[in-house]
Amino acid sequence: MKKGFALFMITVGCVVSLSACGQNNATDKSSSSDAVREISIDGNKKSAGAETSEGKKKEETATQTPAVKTKKSYAKITSTAKVESFGGTVKVGDSAYELYNYVDSSAKNYASVVNHVAAGLKGKADVYDIVVPTSVGITFPDNKTSKVNSTNQKKSIHSIYKKMNRQVKTVSLYDTLMSHRKEYIYFRTDHHWTSKGAYYAYRQFCEAKGIQGHELSDYHQEGFGSFLGSFYLDTDHNKSLRRDNVKAYFPVDHKKMTMTYHDQNGGKYKSSVIANGKKYSLQLKYCAFLAGDNPYTVIHNKKIKNGSGCVVVKESYGNAFVPYLADHYEKIYVIDYRYWKGSISSLAKQQKVQDVIFINNISMTRNAYLIGKISQIK
């Protein structure tokens, strides 16, 4: 990875290629990985398409997300280690983090895609949006924040949600994840969250939807061993990083579920919602969730027979989140917008789903290239 991008280095996508993570999962074989990097150099633009009525605009904002006025007290995280820079990635002690910078024009474009889908599905399906904070916004040491140039993610998420219309049900994760910030909710050597971090997001979604979520104790748990992810590559295989461990919480009904996915080459395969990660190589453990990043995946919970369904629009952060949803819908249609060709709105209508859920890590919302991809399938 080239160094020196700092402010312009945007989130890594899934650290593995589809061929390494998707198709080979059908046979539970591992292979080498290819890092995916995207760069955004968007400038800031004034938000367009605002409501002409100031009163309506204030009303919509108030119904979506709480004001960023209330200061909450969270557990402190401190470190005596120095901050080491590797371009858009920094290392503090045994952990690495990706820096984040808010880009208003990209945030506006991202919100416009979600708004478009919500408007087209009004009266047919509920549209949820989940912007996931990354580790630098949650677990980065408090006494080191002045040493790095990274935007406050709570304020950024608030700004993104303010751009969404009243049809969008926004799910704010910042306070939830901050209240668990001392737990193992993000990997140290990789840009993804852990299965436990995704669980807390799932519980927040359940609250927004008004359904009862499962307790962690309800799930079968399994560890898949050591993991060295994207940050390990970004920091030139830095030996001072502490190895991660991948742990999965299997859906309660996982024995009643089937999963079929399509890869980028048009191949169709069957797999488990969570595969045996022990058979994957050191850098591919995250592929145990949903068989990695594939354009189109369908999960069928045969225990549920009420016709319920949802469409999930995601990048790799969604992989650890979707398995929790599988206990609540008869069918889930998972779209990785980076690779799928089609229309989200048309798919939702065709399959008569009740919900469409956008789940993306916050770095995606500043990336002009990725937003261009998602705008092509709205």
Side-chain angles (χ1 to χ4, degrees), residues 12-205:
V12 284
C14 187
V15 71
V16 291
S17 67
L18 285 181
S19 59
C21 201
Q23 181 174 341
N24 283 348
N25 187 52
T27 55
D28 276 338
K29 294 181 181 179
S30 60
S31 63
S32 60
S33 62
D34 297 315
V36 178
R37 299 291 186 269
E38 296 99 3
I39 297 175
S40 168
I41 51 174
D42 249 357
N44 291 338
K45 297 179 182 178
K46 189 175 180 181
S47 176
E51 293 284 352
T52 54
S53 168
E54 186 64 22
K56 184 175 182 181
K57 184 176 180 181
K58 288 180 180 178
E59 178 188 351
E60 292 177 4
T61 299
T63 60
Q64 291 181 70
T65 183
V68 191
K69 292 178 182 175
T70 307
K71 272 202 168 184
K72 295 194 176 182
S73 154
Y74 305 107
K76 293 292 182 184
I77 296 177
T78 60
S79 175
T80 58
K82 67 177 183 179
V83 177
E84 299 177 59
S85 178
F86 297 83
T89 301
V90 296
K91 187 182 82 70
V92 181
D94 62 6
S95 303
Y97 308 83
E98 181 195 14
L99 300 179
Y100 163 76
N101 62 299
Y102 175 78
V103 180
D104 190 67
S105 59
S106 292
K108 179 194 72 175
N109 291 337
Y110 171 74
S112 70
V113 172
V114 181
N115 286 340
H116 177 89
V117 173
L121 294 176
K122 185 177 181 181
K124 296 181 176 67
D126 290 329
V127 174
Y128 294 85
D129 188 82
I130 307 172
V131 176
V132 184
T134 54
S135 60
V136 74
I138 303 295
T139 59
F140 192 80
D142 298 295
N143 62 331
K144 300 294 179 180
T145 54
S146 62
K147 305 291 185 182
V148 296
N149 192 351
S150 197
T151 309
N152 181 293
Q153 293 193 8
K154 181 173 186 176
K155 292 180 180 178
S156 297
I157 292 171
H158 181 74
S159 296
I160 295 166
Y161 283 168
K162 279 175 63 179
K163 302 178 189 299
M164 294 184 181
N165 63 37
R166 65 192 313 169
Q167 272 78 52
V168 180
K169 299 177 182 293
T170 59
V171 181
S172 181
L173 301 182
Y174 184 86
D175 290 330
T176 297
L177 294 175
M178 281 293 285
S179 67
H180 295 281
R181 68 189 306 228
K182 282 202 165 183
E183 299 176 37
Y184 189 35
I185 58 175
Y186 291 96
F187 293 117
R188 295 176 292 268
T189 71
D190 190 69
H191 63 288
H192 293 108
W193 53 3
T194 66
S195 185
K196 191 174 186 181
Y199 168 77
Y200 290 126
Y202 150 75
R203 289 302 298 260
Q204 196 66 28
F205 169 77

